[in-house]
Amino acid sequence: MIICMIAVAVAIVTYLNAIRDELVYAKETQIALEVEDELRKIDVDISNSTSVVYATGNIMSKLRMDDNRSQLVYMLENILEESSVNYAIICDQNGKGFDMNNRDVDVSNESYFAELSSDYANGGSGMVLPRDVQSSIAEIMIVYSAKFSGQTRGFLVAYLPVKTISEQLFREKYLADGQAIIGLSGDIICSRGFERVPARSSSIWDKVPPSLSKDTVKLAISQKNVLMTEVPNYGYTIVVPLQSANGGCIVLISKGQMNTMVGRSMEPGYRFCAAMVLISVAFVLLVLLANLVADAIQKSAGRKAAAEHETDIITGLLTGEETLKEIDSYTAEGADNKGMLFVIGTNITRDRINEKGSAQFNDQLREFARGLKSGFRSTDVIGRTGDSEFTVFLKGVGDEKDVRKQTDEMQLFLHDATSGSEVSDLEVNAGAVLFPNGGRNARDLIESGRRALTRARQQGAGRLSF
């Protein structure tokens, strides 16, 4: 019963874990699809804005930065009108220039200017992410390195407000401990839930669990692959890359938050498992009840059988008196009844095995009795009629053919009992007598059988005599 209950418990736990894993995967997939859909909008906006900035920069390179300031300001204004850019400037290699409002600017002290000077000094275009927490206000800088007419080299820098673009991304659609749009290096462009820990850091790696693999996140972003992974000792991480920029969105969900989200979907599984537990308990109780009833019936049948037939306490065979009663009951039924009786003698005596104790004596008697019961029909009368003597009465055996067959089978039994027994130097003989020729009642038949047994013993062990 205990093993059964343990098996049921293991099966239920395995079933619930399998359901939970499937629900967690489904929830991760749903969140990833929602984030991907919102990032697609950002990708479109970045692509459109980048195209406008690059096209404008190409035209600006045909103008002189000093002499055509009004035209350049107009082009900067046009960038804001044609894209999602909210601020644009033109500056020279020293960081001095003007913005779309025709105001002078100097960005030489900005943290990102060193990257402009080193990466775009000889031309090119791309995007730069802010690196200090003050300027990390959810903006991406689209850069176009222009060589203006008159050999003046400078930069067109357009500020794209990602936070404005991604307002829909961080809506309370699902439970998450933190989510952010980050660059490949881990710089946070905009976020929710990561602002306070630690307060002055703009890197995502300072705010996520140490067990989260930085390289795995970077690889997913660089290869443009969606990542859904379990974080040891924490929960789950989902990374969805931006297609138009080298960055992406990272979402962290603790196990507690995930359990809350999938809890309602787990309720049918819990109800099913509760039903299985109740069914299992009911089944076990029914089995116990059936066993109790079966034991009661068996004990009742045993008591009834014991009342009807007194059995030997050691061998379980009929006692001598019960053997006589059974045989007399059959012989008294009519003169036409026939039968064959064997008196079987063994050397399993107390004196012979006295040095081994009564337990050894009882064990040998039980083993021999089992062989007798397995070798004859259930309708035959089998009893212990002496200390080491047994009687077998075969009902209905009288024809010559049947007598010969039963004689051969008894001779085979004597051989097997002597050679195949675990009891060393066991000797078995049998005396046979027919009813009614050998006697009219049980006592006469057994006495005749004993005389035949004496003759068989005189011939040697394992012999049978009539």
Side-chain angles (χ1 to χ4, degrees), residues 315-328:
T315 64
L317 303 177
L318 296 176
T319 62
E321 288 298 322
E322 284 299 313
T323 303
L324 293 174
K325 290 179 183 178
E326 282 293 306
I327 297 173
D328 284 337

Side-chain angles (χ1 to χ4, degrees), residues 124 170 285:
F170 298 147
L285 292 177

Side-chain angles (χ1 to χ4, degrees), residues 160-452:
L160 184 63
V162 178
K163 189 169 186 178
T164 303
I165 298 173
S166 62
E167 285 179 351
Q168 297 299 311
L169 180 62
F170 298 147
R171 290 182 300 178
E172 297 288 345
K173 289 184 178 181
Y174 44 83
L175 299 176
D177 297 298
Q179 48 192 323
I181 296 179
I182 62 173
L184 181 62
S185 61
D187 296 315
I188 298 176
I189 301 170
C190 56
S191 66
R192 180 174 67 85
F194 289 124
E195 290 82 2
R196 293 183 297 277
V197 186
R200 299 297 298 173
S201 174
S202 62
S203 175
I204 194 67
W205 312 126
D206 296 326
K207 304 172 186 293
V208 298
S211 54
L212 176 61
S213 173
K214 183 189 304 185
D215 293 334
T216 301
V217 175
K218 287 183 175 182
L219 184 64
I221 292 174
S222 62
Q223 294 185 347
K224 307 299 182 185
N225 292 327
V226 175
L227 172 67
M228 296 185 299
T229 184
E230 186 170 352
V231 182
N233 303 318
Y234 176 75
Y236 307 90
T237 294
I238 302 170
V239 178
V240 181
L242 283 162
Q243 299 301 317
S244 61
N246 217 6
C249 180
I250 182 171
V251 181
L252 265 70
I253 303 172
S254 65
K255 286 188 176 179
Q257 298 280 42
M258 184 62 78
N259 290 338
T260 301
M261 287 190 285
V262 302
R264 185 177 296 275
S265 300
M266 286 287 290
E267 289 178 2
Y270 290 136
R271 288 195 293 268
F272 173 78
C273 291
M276 287 295 296
V277 170
L278 292 176
I279 291 172
S280 300
V281 171
F283 174 76
V284 171
L285 292 177
L286 285 174
V287 170
L288 289 175
L289 181 61
N291 287 335
L292 291 175
V293 172
D295 289 344
I297 293 174
Q298 188 175 9
K299 289 178 181 178
S300 176
R303 287 192 295 269
K304 183 177 180 181
E308 294 177 352
H309 303 290
E310 185 179 348
T311 57
D312 179 61
I313 191 171
I314 297 175
T315 64
L317 303 177
L318 296 176
T319 62
E321 288 298 322
E322 284 299 313
T323 303
L324 293 174
K325 290 179 183 178
E326 282 293 306
I327 297 173
D328 284 337
S329 174
Y330 177 77
T331 59
E333 290 180 359
D336 295 334
N337 284 351
K338 298 178 181 181
M340 186 174 185
L341 182 139
F342 294 104
V343 176
I344 304 170
T346 72
N347 63 343
I348 305 175
T349 61
R350 294 184 184 275
D351 293 338
R352 173 176 165 274
I353 57 174
N354 185 50
E355 66 277 7
K356 297 181 181 180
S358 59
Q360 182 73 18
F361 172 72
N362 293 343
D363 290 342
Q364 293 184 11
L365 285 178
R366 289 191 191 97
E367 181 191 349
F368 190 80
R370 282 196 296 270
L372 276 178
K373 286 189 284 189
S374 63
F376 296 95
R377 302 170 300 181
S378 60
T379 56
D380 297 333
V381 179
I382 306 174
R384 182 186 178 196
T385 51
D387 197 36
S388 58
E389 178 187 279
F390 302 87
T391 296
V392 178
F393 183 74
L394 309 176
K395 299 178 182 180
V397 177
D399 295 338
E400 183 179 352
K401 180 180 178 182
D402 292 338
V403 171
R404 188 181 299 112
K405 177 183 177 183
Q406 294 301 327
T407 301
D408 291 341
E409 290 187 359
M410 176 54 73
Q411 192 67 61
L412 181 62
F413 171 79
L414 295 177
H415 175 270
D416 292 343
T418 303
S419 60
S421 174
E422 295 180 0
V423 181
S424 60
D425 62 8
L426 176 65
E427 295 180 3
V428 185
N429 293 88
V433 62
L434 298 176
F435 170 75
N437 299 339
R440 307 296 298 182
N441 57 51
R443 290 187 183 277
D444 291 343
L445 288 170
I446 291 176
E447 285 302 319
S448 297
R450 285 172 176 164
R451 288 192 293 271

Side-chain angles (χ1 to χ4, degrees), residues 120-184:
Y120 300 97
N122 298 317
S125 59
M127 282 179 282
V128 176
L129 300 178
R131 294 191 176 278
D132 61 296
V133 71
Q134 289 84 1
S135 62
S136 181
I137 54 173
E139 291 179 332
I140 291 177
M141 279 153 283
I142 304 173
V143 179
Y144 184 92
S145 177
K147 186 176 182 181
F148 296 99
S149 179
Q151 303 301 312
T152 302
R153 181 168 293 280
F155 306 104
L156 166 61
V157 182
Y159 294 71
L160 184 63
V162 178
K163 189 169 186 178
T164 303
I165 298 173
S166 62
E167 285 179 351
Q168 297 299 311
L169 180 62
F170 298 147
R171 290 182 300 178
E172 297 288 345
K173 289 184 178 181
Y174 44 83
L175 299 176
D177 297 298
Q179 48 192 323
I181 296 179
I182 62 173
L184 181 62

Side-chain angles (χ1 to χ4, degrees), residues 74 76-83 85:
Y74 174 77
L76 293 177
E77 292 176 346
N78 187 66
I79 289 176
L80 269 63
E81 293 177 1
E82 298 296 329
S83 69
V85 170

Side-chain angles (χ1 to χ4, degrees), residues 9-20 266 268-270 272-273:
V10 170
I12 288 175
V13 171
T14 303
Y15 172 75
L16 287 176
N17 286 338
I19 289 181
R20 186 185 180 280
M266 286 287 290
Y270 290 136
F272 173 78
C273 291

Side-chain angles (χ1 to χ4, degrees), residues 38-50 242 244:
E38 296 300 333
L39 286 185
R40 191 176 294 112
K41 300 174 186 177
I42 298 175
D43 279 321
V44 171
D45 227 341
I46 292 176
S47 297
N48 291 340
S49 299
T50 301
L242 283 162
S244 61

